[in-house]
Every structure is written in structure tokens, then in C-alpha cells.
Amino acid sequence: MAKQSVSLVNRETSWLEFNGRVLQEAADETTPLIERIKFLGIFSNNLDEFYRVRVATLNRMLDYNKRSGESLSFSPRKVLKEINRIDREQQKEFSGIFRNIVRKLAEEGILIVTEREITRPQGEFVRKYFNQYVRSQLFPIMLNNLKSSSLVDKSIYLAIRLSSSARPGKFQHAIIRVPSKPLPRFVLLPSPDERKFIILLDDVIRYCLDEIFSIFGYDTFKAYTFKFTRDAELDIDNDVSKSFLEIMSESLKQRRLGAPVRFIHDKTMPADLLDILKHKLEISETDTLSKSGRYHNFKDFMSFPDIGRSDLLYAPVPPLEHRRLPRQESILNVIRDQDILLHYPYQSFHYIIDLLREASIDPGVKAIKMTLYRVAKDSSVVNALINAARNGKSVTVFMELQARFDEEANIYWAGKMQEEGVKLIQGIPGFKVHSKLLLIRRKEGEKNVYYANVGTGNFNEETARVYADDSLLTADPQVTADVNAVFHLFESKYNPPKFKSLIVAPFHMRNFFTRMINSEIRNAKNGMEAWCIIKLNNLVDDKMVKKLYQAGKAGVKVRIICRGTCTLVPGIKGLSENIEVISIVDRFLEHSRVFVFHNGGDEKYYISSADWMVRNLDNRIEVACPVNDAGLRQELKTMLLIQLKDNTKARIVNHPDINPYKDAGKTPRIRSQQEIYNYLKGI
């Protein structure tokens, strides 16, 4: 484990260890077989984004260091070397897991076959499929004409060696993109029995290469897969004469021409062909060059085809009804009388859709305001907001155009909403709005009454089925007044108001959490009970880590549930022996941020959109919201304590052994996500 110091883990290697936990799920024999192959897809997709963003940033730092001669506080070259070492080890493990899963699938009568293994009737089917669906999507580029700018990021290509038996030793080369969008990556083949045969689109193309190239006199074809990954960081233009929508649109076009950061190729590719590709694609010595197997872009395995074997998938977990939100009753009326806490995906996100639908047609509702960061492909949230505007409501949306990899979708939805009369507050270059807020203003008698929703995750009905998040519905006047103040903040060019209830970054959040930890430190030094429970996705802010070390040294019991990157090292004698850090990686993606402080017996509970990273605390609009209802506090605490007792899917973070399971082998077995579902089902 590469460390910056004894007490801080490098954030990049920590992230790779998190992705290693995803790989553990693919290796876990207790995970249903098809879910295991989907975890390989998640691992691959995660790694792609890591290279496109984090490795690309390190490459930029390395280049800057060379050009400027300035010394950075760490060596990007050393970090890149360590990343490549870990990546090689994980890729070796990945390949072994994939081979094992393929064997297990075959034992279940599910065979992933190559173009060399199909029967004649299957071959006839493949040719028919190729000519009907695939051929029109293929646009070969002769290698002599290839330019780096011709290649599409996140795609896989076949480098094809063409030859003729009439001219032995004479070769030509071509490049074909495998069109896994818009086509599916997997094709189900006809079977003579009950077995299922699956061929990848790559091999469909391999089987039919003669359909494309034989007219040019070639009769021998050999195809080798490669994948080309670009720098995905955006360079934001500061031209004040352009709207931010225009600036973002132009920046996205530039992303398609980003510098190469990773080149993966079939290890059987001939050296001369590899050299030509490296030259044509401008692959330098600083770019990651990896040998791999026959198939790349395993992210497509996240969409493994439905083969009718539910026994090889997770058992269905139907969303639970919330006992305080009976169907066919006004949600607004319920919220007026009591706070409600929703927990996705255990409970349905459709309560939010129902709330928006009710607000869009309720004659008393006059205005709706909402922040949007990532929305679903066919967003019911956006459609509900558009419907509200059509019904004469004043609808205002802050659409964050800088949501990484969702920029194009957000630009599209921004345009749709503007067309329908929704007032759009556009993002600001260099400054992201990451808070998850909804505010409804309703005229009740002679006064305006406000209703708010503050959440830890996006207003996205698709991800809410797999992301574990918390969402507070409230009519508390202090909370709703502060939510309203946040929206005024957007509209008044960031003149920060004073907040009475919400903790808002970048104005107060860092100082607030520092004060809360300091309070626990004072209590511990005075011999009082002192503890905190911190749940987040990433803990990499050096100042907050050092403050937690200070708390641990003072005797504060610090328990942390951190799914992803964590630079803090627990269990160091004299520094962090009072700190426990676990990560839970399971069926659902742990996404909520929850903070609990003992506070001398007057326990304080907060849910938040913010991790403890510099970007969240100092460079984004983030919100932490107090949970004031005693019953809801107990609900949150019970769920956190269940997770802290997990001995099935919890791993110890930054242990000398990488990713050991916590309390492995102990009984009774506690799998927190299942236990939380059962708990919520019973309350």
C-alpha cells in the first residue's frame, strides 16, 4: 500500500483498493453468478472513469512539472507507477475471475462462445444478424488514414490484418469500431437444446469480416481488439460573451479530442501492428499501455442479457411502503404534520414523483424550486416539473451543467425545460451546485407555507433503485426558510445569507464539522462520554483527517463507514487506535452521508450531500440538514449501528492486509443491507 506518510494513504491507491472491493464481489461464490459478471462490469466502468479523470489529471501535473520546473508536494510519476502496478495485479485477478465465471456459466448451460466455436446453423444465424443489424453500423478506416481524432472514447476497436493467399507476406490493416451502441454487446444464438449460447458482438464481426473486405481481394483476416481512453477533464472557457450553456457545449466537443491516457490491446497483437497503432494514436511513454485478453469494455457486462435464469440473479427486493405515506392521501398534508425520512432503495423514490405530481396540480401550490445534478434518461422528475409549468406554476430549476459525464444529458434537459417555460438557473464555471433540494410554496389561507425535500442523493428514479440514500421531507419553518435562502443565493449572484438550520458549504460546513469534533475532544478530555459516527463516500480532506486523528488521540470513539476513497489510517497506536473505518460494498451502492455526534448527551444528527473532500467543503454548494424528529433520529441510528455490526460485506479500510472482511467467520452472520430492509419492513 503506497502511503504519502505513516498517517495518510495516497488517495489514488485508496480508490484502487475500493475498486478492489468491487472485484471481491465478483469473486465471491455467494454472490449469484450473473450478478458476479455484472460486478466485473462495474469494476471495469469504474476503472475507465478513474483513468479518464484521475490518471489524466496526474498526467497533466506531470506535464506541468516538466514545463514549469516547479516542484509539487508529491511525485506524480511515482503515483502513476504505483497505479500501474496495482492495475496490473488487479487485471490479472480480473482475468482469473472472468475465466472462473465463464466455466461456472457453462456448468449452468450458459455458454459464451467465440466465432470459432459456433455450429453451422448458428453461423447462418450470425450472418443473417450481421447483414440485418451490424453491417450498416460499420465504417472501416484503413490504418494508413487513421488519425487519433478519428477514434471515439469509451469504445472498442478491432485492428484487422488483411492478407491474400495470392500475395503471401503482403499485409494491409484496417480499423473497425465495435458498435456496442446502439447495438447490444451480446447476441443470443439459436440452440438445439435447453442450453443458452451467447456470442459477443466483437465475434459476430470477426465471423463476417469477409462480407466487408473480400471484394478487395483479401481472403485471410485476423482481428485484434484494442481500447483507447482519453483525458475527460474539461477545459472551461471564461469568455464572458458566451452563455454558460454555450461554453459547456463547446468544452464537451473538446473532450472528444482529449489526450490519450490509456491504451489496452490484445496481447496476441503482432508487434509491428502495435507499433503502427501507437504511432498513429500518438501514444507516449507516459500513457498507460496494457496487454489484455480478447475482450475489452467489460462495462457492457453490466447489461448482461436476460436469459430467463432468475435463480442466478439477486432475489427481488420490492420497495417497502412507508407507513406514514398511505396511497391516495395528500403527501403535502402528511408533511405539514410530521417530518418523513425516506430510505432508498428500500423505499420507493416514486414518493418524490407523486409529491411533484401533486404539487403540479394542487391549486394552492404557487411555486416549485429544485436543484438537479444527475437525472434519469427518461426523467419523470423533469417531466413532472414541465407539467407543473404547463399548469401555471412558477417553476425554477438550478441545473448543474458540470455534472461529470452527464453534461450532455443535462444540456439536453435544460433546453427542454426552457422550451416549456421553466426558469433555468445555469451553472457557474468553476463552481458546482451539488446539494439535493426541492422547495414547494403553497398558499394556505392568507399565508405562504413551504415544504422541502433535502436528500443525500440525486433526484434520479433509476439510480434510486440501486443507490442507498436518505431523503428528508419536512415543513419545518427553519429548514424550509433556509432552503429558500439557498435558492435566493443562486439567483442573487452568491451573496451568502445567514442560515439558521442548514449547514451550507462552502460558507460554513468545514468550520461547523470542525467545531462539532472539537466539542467531542473537549468532552473526552473532561472525562465525559464522547463519540461520533460518520458515514460518507469519500474521506480525503487532509484537515478533516487530521482533526479526526486529534479526536482519536483525545479518546473520542470515532466510527466511520466510508464506501470509497479514504486517506485516514485507523488503528495506529497513539494516533488512531480509537478510530474504526469500514467499507460496505454489496448489492446496493452505499451513497448516503450521515453524521452523528454524541454532543454531551444531546445527540446531533445530520444528513448531507457532501463528502469530506476539498471540492465538497470549499468549492461546491453543499447542504447538511439536521434531523430533529426523535423517531427519525432513532431510525437513522439503528441503521448505522446495523452497518457497524456487518460481518458479511464490511471490509476494514487501510488495513495492512488489503480489504480483509470485518469479523470474518463470526456468527451470527449480519449482512447489513438485508438487515436494514428487514428493520424498515417491521417499523
Side-chain angles (χ1 to χ4, degrees):
M1 184 190 301
K3 294 193 172 83
Q4 293 173 314
S5 68
V6 174
S7 58
L8 288 175
V9 173
N10 177 271
R11 64 175 287 177
E12 317 305 347
T13 54
S14 175
W15 184 92
L16 288 168
E17 289 189 7
F18 150 67
N19 213 29
R21 297 192 279 276
V22 176
L23 200 55
Q24 284 180 320
E25 289 301 293
D28 190 341
E29 297 279 349
T30 66
T31 302
L33 194 54
I34 292 177
E35 303 293 352
R36 290 175 63 188
I37 207 165
K38 290 181 179 181
F39 272 111
L40 289 181
I42 295 169
F43 172 90
S44 180
N45 187 60
N46 288 347
L47 196 61
D48 282 350
E49 292 195 5
F50 176 75
Y51 270 90
R52 295 177 74 205
V53 177
R54 296 304 308 166
V55 172
T57 299
L58 287 167
N59 281 341
R60 289 186 182 209
M61 289 180 176
L62 190 63
D63 182 58
Y64 172 79
N65 213 12
K66 287 178 180 176
R67 287 187 289 103
S68 70
E70 292 185 25
S71 178
L72 300 173
S73 60
F74 69 101
S75 169
R77 188 181 298 279
K78 286 183 179 178
V79 175
L80 286 166
K81 185 177 179 181
E82 180 68 1
I83 287 170
N84 290 335
R85 182 193 68 78
I86 296 171
D87 185 33
R88 284 193 299 273
E89 291 179 359
Q90 289 185 341
Q91 291 301 329
K92 185 177 179 181
E93 185 179 359
F94 181 102
S95 297
I97 294 169
F98 177 62
R99 289 193 297 270
N100 175 264
I101 292 173
V102 169
R103 285 195 297 270
K104 295 279 187 182
L105 287 170
E107 292 170 7
E108 295 288 342
I110 303 160
L111 294 95
I112 300 175
V113 294
T114 71
E115 80 282 3
R116 296 189 295 267
E117 298 169 320
I118 58 178
T119 64
R120 179 169 298 194
Q122 288 172 337
E124 292 172 357
F125 174 88
V126 166
R127 284 201 180 273
K128 184 177 179 181
Y129 182 89
F130 176 85
N131 283 298
Q132 188 170 355
Y133 300 107
V134 184
R135 186 175 189 141
S136 62
Q137 300 289 334
L138 302 182
F139 303 97
I141 302 171
M142 299 310 292
L143 191 53
N144 291 338
N145 302 320
L146 181 65
K147 296 178 181 178
S148 173
S149 59
S150 304
L151 298 192
V152 179
D153 197 16
K154 300 193 294 184
S155 295
I156 45 173
Y157 288 84
L158 295 177
I160 303 155
R161 173 161 278 182
L162 309 167
S163 61
S164 169
S165 53
R167 300 186 300 278
K170 298 287 185 180
F171 302 110
Q172 280 284 0
H173 299 96
I175 303 296
I176 291 179
R177 185 174 78 89
V178 177
S180 51
K181 285 185 178 180
L183 299 176
R185 184 77 182 278
F186 307 95
V187 179
L188 288 170
L189 299 175
S191 173
D193 48 43
E194 293 183 354
R195 292 178 297 171
K196 305 288 185 181
F197 289 84
I198 300 170
I199 188 170
L200 271 72
L201 184 59
D202 325 23
D203 291 336
V204 170
I205 296 170
R206 282 186 169 98
Y207 190 80
C208 299
L209 286 172
D210 59 324
E211 299 271 358
I212 304 170
F213 294 109
S214 61
I215 61 172
F216 300 107
Y218 300 110
D219 57 17
T220 305
F221 317 97
K222 293 187 177 179
Y224 309 92
T225 314
F226 72 90
K227 178 178 171 181
F228 181 72
T229 304
R230 296 184 186 276
D231 180 342
E233 286 292 83
L234 297 181
D235 294 315
I236 306 296
D237 185 1
N238 290 319
D239 187 343
V240 295
S241 69
K242 301 174 183 176
S243 74
F244 193 50
L245 205 60
E246 292 174 308
I247 291 170
M248 287 301 300
S249 297
E250 291 174 9
S251 298
L252 288 171
K253 292 175 185 176
Q254 291 299 315
R255 176 186 274 172
R256 299 184 186 115
L257 303 176
V261 291
R262 194 178 189 218
F263 181 82
I264 307 175
H265 64 91
D266 187 330
K267 61 189 175 187
T268 66
M269 182 183 289
D272 62 326
L273 176 53
L274 177 60
D275 288 340
I276 296 170
L277 279 173
K278 286 163 59 180
H279 174 72
K280 286 284 187 180
L281 299 176
E282 302 171 358
I283 305 295
S284 72
E285 60 178 17
T286 61
D287 301 318
T288 301
L289 194 71
S290 299
K291 295 179 182 179
S292 187
R294 181 182 178 91
Y295 304 113
H296 308 146
N297 256 26
F298 274 82
K299 66 178 183 180
D300 292 333
F301 281 73
M302 293 164 66
S303 303
F304 196 77
D306 181 3
I307 51 173
R309 289 290 303 274
S310 59
D311 59 311
L312 301 181
L313 297 165
Y314 286 128
V317 180
L320 300 168
E321 297 284 334
H322 196 292
R323 63 183 177 85
R324 293 183 178 178
L325 294 173
R327 293 186 182 276
Q328 299 178 335
E329 285 194 24
S330 166
I331 296 177
L332 290 171
N333 287 346
V334 173
I335 301 169
R336 184 176 54 209
D337 296 333
Q338 59 189 323
D339 288 356
I340 299 290
L341 198 56
L342 295 171
H343 308 286
Y344 316 131
Y346 309 106
Q347 294 158 335
S348 177
F349 180 82
H350 280 280
Y351 286 115
I352 302 300
I353 306 297
D354 291 343
L355 174 62
L356 287 169
R357 183 185 300 111
E358 178 182 341
S360 72
I361 57 177
D362 185 323
V365 170
K366 303 303 178 183
I368 302 171
K369 296 181 179 182
M370 199 168 195
T371 60
L372 294 179
Y373 193 78
R374 302 186 196 277
V375 297
K377 184 178 179 181
D378 297 309
S379 175
S380 296
V381 170
V382 173
N383 286 323
L385 293 170
I386 288 172
N387 191 55
R390 289 172 178 168
N391 276 304
K393 313 301 181 186
S394 172
V395 181
T396 303
V397 170
F398 188 104
M399 172 65 83
E400 180 50 76
L401 301 181
Q402 297 180 87
R404 184 181 283 131
F405 304 132
D406 280 291
E407 300 98 341
E408 289 184 74
N410 286 2
I411 288 171
Y412 166 78
W413 283 117
K416 292 288 286 184
M417 285 190 287
Q418 281 184 317
E419 289 172 7
E420 297 286 351
V422 173
K423 179 183 177 183
L424 197 73
I425 307 173
Q426 294 183 16
I428 306 298
F431 201 82
K432 286 189 181 181
V433 173
H434 192 248
S435 51
K436 323 299 182 185
L437 302 174
L438 165 63
L439 185 71
I440 296 169
R441 175 167 60 86
R442 188 189 199 192
K443 195 76 170 178
E444 298 180 5
E446 296 300 317
K447 62 178 183 177
N448 288 319
V449 177
Y450 290 87
Y451 301 83
N453 177 216
V454 184
T456 66
N458 295 306
F459 292 109
N460 184 319
E461 61 269 31
E462 291 177 358
T463 58
R465 289 195 287 267
V466 289
Y467 284 30
D469 274 303
D470 302 306
S471 186
L472 179 70
L473 295 164
T474 184
D476 182 303
Q478 281 199 338
V479 173
T480 57
D482 278 0
V483 172
N484 200 20
V486 174
F487 282 102
H488 285 313
L489 177 68
F490 301 149
E491 297 174 282
S492 62
K493 304 302 180 187
Y494 305 93
N495 182 24
K498 292 184 178 179
F499 298 98
K500 295 181 179 179
S501 185
L502 296 184
I503 315 302
V504 182
F507 312 113
H508 314 116
M509 189 175 287
R510 178 186 292 280
N511 288 339
F512 173 80
F513 283 126
T514 300
R515 289 198 308 272
M516 294 302 293
I517 297 171
N518 282 338
S519 176
E520 298 300 328
I521 291 171
R522 285 193 301 272
N523 289 340
K525 288 181 176 179
N526 289 329
M528 298 168 62
E529 182 177 355
W531 54 261
C532 58
I533 302 173
I534 296 166
K535 182 182 179 186
L536 27 62
N537 298 316
N538 299 290
L539 172 58
V540 299
D541 183 275
D542 287 358
K543 291 179 181 177
M544 298 308 295
V545 169
K546 289 173 183 176
K547 181 56 63 176
L548 289 170
Y549 281 146
Q550 186 183 347
K553 285 179 69 175
V556 179
K557 185 174 180 59
V558 180
R559 289 175 288 180
I560 301 170
I561 304 166
C562 182
R563 171 177 56 85
T565 310
C566 178
T567 58
L568 181 150
V569 184
I572 300 175
K573 190 172 182 179
L575 179 67
S576 59
E577 54 198 319
N578 288 317
I579 303 177
E580 173 189 5
V581 187
I582 63 169
S583 172
I584 297 170
V585 176
D586 197 356
R587 174 177 186 169
F588 305 130
L589 184 140
E590 294 294 336
H591 193 251
S592 60
R593 292 89 165 181
V594 185
F595 306 94
V596 185
F597 300 93
H598 181 254
N599 195 43
D602 180 18
E603 295 177 11
K604 299 294 183 183
Y605 291 74
Y606 296 85
I607 63 171
S608 180
S609 57
D611 288 317
W612 283 2
M613 306 175 73
V614 171
R615 71 184 189 192
N616 300 96
L617 298 175
D618 298 339
N619 301 314
R620 292 182 173 185
I621 296 285
E622 303 271 16
V623 164
C625 180
V627 178
N628 297 319
D629 181 275
L632 299 185
R633 289 180 172 197
Q634 186 58 49
E635 206 169 286
L636 274 179
K637 188 174 184 179
T638 300
M639 293 169 66
L640 289 170
L641 292 177
I642 288 171
Q643 292 195 316
L644 288 166
K645 292 176 183 176
D646 190 307
N647 58 12
T648 303
K649 294 296 184 179
R651 284 79 157 179
I652 301 171
V653 174
N654 294 337
H655 190 275
D657 298 325
I658 297 174
N659 292 330
Y661 287 88
K662 180 190 174 187
D663 297 333
K666 286 192 176 180
T667 54
R669 304 304 296 160
I670 298 172
R671 184 175 178 179
S672 59
Q673 291 187 352
Q674 184 61 54
E675 293 295 326
I676 286 171
Y677 183 81
N678 293 338
Y679 164 69
L680 293 173
K681 191 175 182 179
I683 63 173

